[in-house]
Amino acid sequence: MRNPVLVLNSLETMSKIDGYTFKRLYRNLYNYEFYLKAYEKIYAKTGNMTEGTDGKTIDGMSIERIQNIMESIKTESYKPRPAKRTYIPKKNGSKRPLGIPSIDDKLVQEIVRNILESIFENKFSNNSHGFRPNRSCHTALIQCKQTLIGTKWFVEGDIKGFFDNIDHQILINILRKHIKDEKFIRLIWKFLKAGYLEDWRFHKTNSGTPQGGIISPILSNIYLNELDSMIEEYKENFDMGKGRKTNNGYMRFYKKIFSLKKQNEQDWYLISSDEQERRKREIQGLYQTLNKLNRLEPMDTQFKRIKYVRYADDFIIGIIGSKKDAENVKEDLTVFLKDRLNLELSQEKTLITHNSKPARFLGYDIKISSNQSAKSSKDWKNKTPRRSVSGKCFLYMPKEKWINKLIELNALRIVDGKRWKPQRRPHLLNLEDLEILSVYNSEIHGFYNYYKLAINVSSLHAFNHIMKFSMAKTFSNKYGLTTAQVFKKYNKNGKFTIQFETKKGTKERVYYDKGFRKSAEINKGSSVDMDEKPNTFIYSSRSSLIQRLLANKCEWCGTENVAIEVHHVRKIKDLKGKKMWELIMIARKRKTMALCRGCHVDLHTGKLD
């Protein structure tokens, strides 16, 4: 069996050849090494312990189970199960549908995702940031900051129900441009048409990507890459001029200053101090007038630019041009999405915004500075004052975002529409002190980590203040103390501190105290900052889990040369430690245990100890 690393690297290399079409992709699903890699990637996620519509979880994964999937793949009798639909609450009070695929389908989808990513990643636009290796909301926002300089108009894109309205036939036609393997195409068709179960009733999926499916993000990017390509072509025809025309009024004052400064160089030390002072004031006055003018003609109709940044189905377009240009762009987008992708651009939510107002993108406010002030010069004879921020793009955190976050967390209530009151959070009362502190720290750090690019992120000190008093009220309610008594009880060196015991002695954890400074740093690999870690495999030995699965040795009874089933738990902390096998898993800090069939059955029937 070929190493998946070599296969995927080969696909990636061939994807760089213009016009290359891929064949015989389906045969890679006959390679059990791909399934082991897929299992290795997905096994640790807690959602895998939720039953799919087949009643199975990831618990009990075995080589036999993988071989059964492979056999059905070979005969093309494999049929994805419909996803189990559930709903999760949204911030606005409504609910978002979520599909839970079966574990077997997740394994196959992970393999398909890896293959598709190797083929298409090099074809994707640099303006696309969603669900891609080493890209995130932050990389999209940083691109906005770097490229939207001088923008006059924004078009804030909103596609109605994108993920539910992807046209299957159009998607398949896009795939067929690059893939000439009908078995592989039919497999993707099966996932698209798998449907979902809600209240035990089957619902067909005539459009959209698989509910909760691992392949949904890559398929959505393949679909919207058509939009990215359209914008790039549109830009070639839209952009005009190498640069703006020079403002004649500005140049008149500039030449006059230049002439006066040249005269000063010739006779500065020959004139009286009073004349020197008069010339200084004259030049300073000219500079004041000059700094009220634009060096370049702001309304130059012969200079136009269009910039575009997309994250999943959210996109923003910056236009240096007229409002009519922005309206034309919106109209052309509407036609393209309808005619080419069978999608609808929301006319109400796709806003055209002048740069005097902020545009909203990925939860940030995008603002173009109109500040015309120039930095003062220490040496007025040689240095020209410059407007260093005029036209630059800045990122701001909207105030309502952190207020709504407090309300969402149930840490704040607003009385009479104006008075803010921190409040206790009853659902945390049964947790240990350290757990309560950790919850608050995690929520504060996570929110700050997302908005750390904002120029006004320091306003989170107010957010932090409410959170701290909410936590104090939670402890107050738990122990029947006043908030003042809570702060006194947990105060150590001026910090709110929880002490706890470990095997290595007493340790401490303090309430979040790292501040809220603006930062452009992106922490690669962080689940907060990056959507996904890089998906390309690296050369390495098999992980411990895969080695244990293939060792054919039961970790409980020690029997060798037996088929192994891997027992999974959702979280280590869920183990009570009352049974020996639980103590072993806790001691090894593992959520898995490789067992023979008999021991696995005994574990679930309570007979293992």
Side-chain angles (χ1 to χ4, degrees):
M1 293 292 180
R2 290 186 69 194
N3 189 321
V5 178
L6 300 177
V7 175
L8 297 175
N9 285 346
S10 175
L11 294 176
E12 183 179 352
T13 300
M14 302 308 292
S15 71
K16 298 175 183 178
I17 302 174
D18 290 339
Y20 186 85
T21 55
F22 293 84
K23 302 174 183 178
R24 303 179 68 188
L25 294 175
Y26 192 76
R27 63 176 181 166
N28 291 304
L29 284 97
Y30 306 160
N31 183 345
Y32 82 94
E33 291 281 354
F34 268 97
Y35 293 85
L36 295 179
K37 283 291 184 183
Y39 175 49
E40 184 178 16
K41 173 72 184 292
I42 71 172
Y43 85 92
K45 296 179 180 179
T46 56
N48 292 325
M49 290 302 293
T50 302
E51 291 183 357
T53 52
D54 59 355
K56 297 179 182 179
T57 69
I58 200 167
D59 185 48
M61 183 56 63
S62 64
I63 296 298
E64 181 184 0
R65 188 169 171 181
I66 290 173
Q67 288 173 340
N68 289 337
I69 298 172
M70 287 172 56
E71 286 303 315
S72 64
I73 288 287
K74 289 178 181 178
T75 59
E76 287 196 86
S77 61
Y78 173 79
K79 185 177 181 181
R81 298 268 183 168
K84 182 166 71 175
R85 173 167 281 192
T86 185
Y87 291 88
I88 56 176
K90 295 173 68 174
K91 292 180 182 178
N92 60 10
S94 61
K95 293 184 177 181
R96 176 184 288 111
L98 178 69
I100 303 174
S102 73
I103 295 300
D104 292 356
D105 292 342
K106 285 184 179 181
L107 280 176
V108 178
Q109 284 194 36
E110 175 63 17
I111 298 170
V112 173
R113 184 193 65 79
N114 275 311
I115 293 171
L116 289 175
E117 187 175 274
S118 296
I119 294 172
F120 285 96
E121 178 60 29
N122 287 317
K123 303 180 188 301
F124 289 153
S125 167
N126 287 329
N127 299 319
S128 166
H129 295 263
F131 314 119
R132 294 181 61 191
N134 294 320
R135 289 173 180 255
S136 66
C137 291
H138 279 183
T139 61
L141 290 161
I142 288 173
Q143 185 180 2
C144 286
K145 185 177 179 181
Q146 294 172 343
T147 63
L148 296 180
I149 296 171
T151 292
K152 297 299 181 185
W153 296 93
F154 293 104
V155 179
E156 304 172 45
D158 186 276
I159 301 173
K160 282 188 178 180
F162 168 68
F163 289 98
D164 293 329
N165 291 299
I166 290 177
D167 188 295
H168 291 170
Q169 188 60 60
I170 293 175
L171 174 59
I172 292 298
N173 290 341
I174 295 170
L175 291 171
R176 281 182 172 143
K177 292 178 185 177
H178 308 280
I179 297 172
K180 302 298 182 184
D181 182 342
E182 284 304 310
K183 284 188 176 181
F184 190 79
I185 295 293
R186 282 197 294 271
L187 178 61
I188 294 177
W189 258 119
K190 289 179 180 179
F191 281 117
L192 293 173
K193 298 297 186 183
Y196 64 92
L197 283 183
E198 185 175 6
D199 297 328
W200 298 107
R201 291 183 59 190
F202 175 75
H203 298 264
K204 292 181 179 180
T205 46
N206 296 316
S207 62
T209 52
Q211 289 277 329
I214 291 174
I215 60 171
S216 291
I218 184 72
L219 291 178
S220 66
N221 269 337
I222 292 170
Y223 202 78
L224 281 184
N225 190 55
E226 299 296 300
L227 172 62
D228 301 340
S229 299
M230 173 267 186
I231 295 290
E232 289 174 2
E233 292 176 9
Y234 194 92
K235 179 179 175 63
E236 292 179 4
N237 296 319
F238 183 92
D239 288 1
M240 183 187 300
K242 292 183 178 180
R244 287 192 182 95
K245 293 178 181 178
T246 303
N247 184 343
N248 291 331
Y250 179 96
M251 290 308 297
R252 281 197 301 270
F253 282 95
Y254 182 82
K255 288 177 180 179
K256 190 171 183 179
I257 292 172
F258 180 80
S259 177
L260 288 172
K261 290 175 81 172
K262 193 166 184 179
Q263 181 182 352
N264 286 341
E265 290 176 1
Q266 295 172 352
D267 61 4
W268 183 255
Y269 296 105
L270 302 177
I271 61 177
S272 66
S273 58
D274 289 343
E275 178 63 16
Q276 287 178 349
E277 196 62 36
R278 187 194 68 78
R279 291 187 184 184
K280 280 184 183 180
R281 288 194 299 269
E282 182 180 5
I283 291 177
Q284 287 170 352
L286 289 170
Y287 268 131
Q288 288 176 0
T289 303
L290 185 73
N291 288 328
K292 294 177 182 179
L293 302 173
N294 291 298
R295 185 177 67 85
L296 301 174
E297 182 59 56
M299 301 306 293
D300 183 0
T301 57
Q302 300 304 309
F303 178 80
K304 295 197 295 184
R305 290 290 185 271
I306 186 170
K307 302 290 184 180
Y308 164 78
V309 182
R310 179 176 69 82
Y311 180 91
D313 60 329
D314 290 330
F315 63 89
I316 187 167
I317 296 174
I319 294 171
I320 299 176
S322 66
K323 184 177 182 180
K324 182 62 177 175
D325 289 326
E327 291 172 345
N328 290 339
V329 168
K330 180 178 176 179
E331 183 179 343
D332 292 339
L333 280 173
T334 301
V335 172
F336 174 83
L337 289 171
K338 183 63 179 176
D339 292 351
R340 295 282 298 276
L341 297 179
N342 198 20
L343 295 172
E344 184 177 354
L345 188 71
S346 172
Q347 299 302 307
E348 301 78 22
K349 295 182 179 180
T350 301
L351 306 177
I352 295 177
T353 308
H354 188 258
N355 69 359
S356 59
K357 297 178 181 179
R360 185 65 58 86
F361 182 58
L362 299 179
Y364 277 71
D365 276 344
I366 312 293
K367 293 184 180 181
I368 304 299
S369 174
S370 59
N371 188 344
Q372 297 292 322
S373 61
K375 288 186 177 180
S376 59
S377 175
K378 293 181 180 178
D379 184 354
W380 64 271
K381 290 189 295 183
N382 300 318
K383 293 187 178 180
T384 304
R386 296 183 181 277
R387 286 170 287 187
S388 57
V389 298
S390 178
K392 285 192 175 181
C393 179
F394 291 97
L395 306 176
Y396 286 83
M397 174 182 63
K399 183 178 180 180
E400 71 267 19
K401 288 295 181 180
W402 61 263
I403 295 174
N404 292 339
K405 185 66 176 180
L406 288 169
I407 296 172
E408 176 193 334
L409 294 173
N410 202 30
L412 171 70
R413 61 190 175 97
I414 301 177
V415 182
D416 299 329
K418 56 183 179 179
R419 287 189 297 145
W420 293 10
K421 286 197 172 184
Q423 63 181 8
R424 64 187 177 88
R425 298 167 70 184
H427 69 282
L428 300 178
L429 293 176
N430 294 327
L431 299 180
E432 298 292 332
D433 289 2
L434 180 63
E435 291 177 310
I436 295 174
L437 177 69
S438 297
V439 167
Y440 276 89
N441 280 351
S442 176
E443 290 166 345
I444 294 167
H445 185 264
F447 195 74
Y448 161 62
N449 214 16
Y450 185 75
Y451 280 104
K452 66 183 180 181
L453 303 180
I455 199 169
N456 64 334
V457 70
S458 61
S459 60
L460 282 181
H461 284 290
F463 172 84
N464 185 48
H465 177 78
I466 299 292
M467 289 289 279
K468 189 171 186 177
F469 273 85
S470 169
M471 183 183 68
K473 285 179 175 288
T474 302
F475 277 106
S476 173
N477 187 231
K478 182 175 182 178
Y479 293 112
L481 303 172
T482 65
T483 52
Q485 289 171 329
V486 168
F487 283 121
K488 184 177 180 180
K489 176 182 177 181
Y490 292 100
N491 177 62
K492 185 175 181 181
N493 299 323
K495 297 180 179 180
F496 194 101
T497 307
I498 300 289
Q499 294 184 331
F500 58 100
E501 298 296 327
T502 69
K503 292 180 181 179
K504 296 182 180 180
T506 303
K507 291 190 175 183
E508 297 177 347
R509 187 168 297 169
V510 300
Y511 179 78
Y512 184 86
D513 63 345
K514 296 179 181 178
F516 303 98
R517 298 184 64 182
K518 176 179 172 293
S519 171
E521 180 183 355
I522 297 177
N523 302 323
K524 291 186 178 181
S526 165
S527 60
V528 174
D529 287 314
M530 308 304 291
D531 302 314
E532 291 189 24
K533 296 180 182 180
N535 294 312
T536 53
F537 295 122
I538 59 172
Y539 289 96
S540 63
S541 58
R542 288 191 171 110
S543 70
S544 170
L545 175 64
I546 301 303
Q547 288 177 339
R548 289 156 53 214
L549 174 63
L550 298 176
N552 296 330
K553 181 178 180 180
C554 178
E555 293 178 350
W556 179 259
C557 68
T559 305
E560 297 184 4
N561 299 318
V562 291
I564 294 299
E565 295 181 357
V566 181
H567 176 66
H568 288 255
V569 296
R570 190 180 297 271
K571 297 178 181 177
I572 294 177
K573 70 176 184 178
D574 293 340
L575 298 171
K576 305 301 181 183
K578 295 181 179 179
K579 297 186 177 183
M580 183 57 67
W581 63 268
E582 291 180 324
L583 291 171
I584 291 173
M585 294 182 75
I586 292 171
R588 294 176 178 175
K589 296 181 180 180
R590 286 177 178 168
K591 295 195 297 181
T592 58
M593 178 177 275
L595 302 172
C596 64
R597 174 65 179 168
C599 288
H600 196 208
V601 171
D602 288 344
L603 185 149
H604 281 283
T605 56
K607 300 176 182 179
L608 195 61
D609 282 354

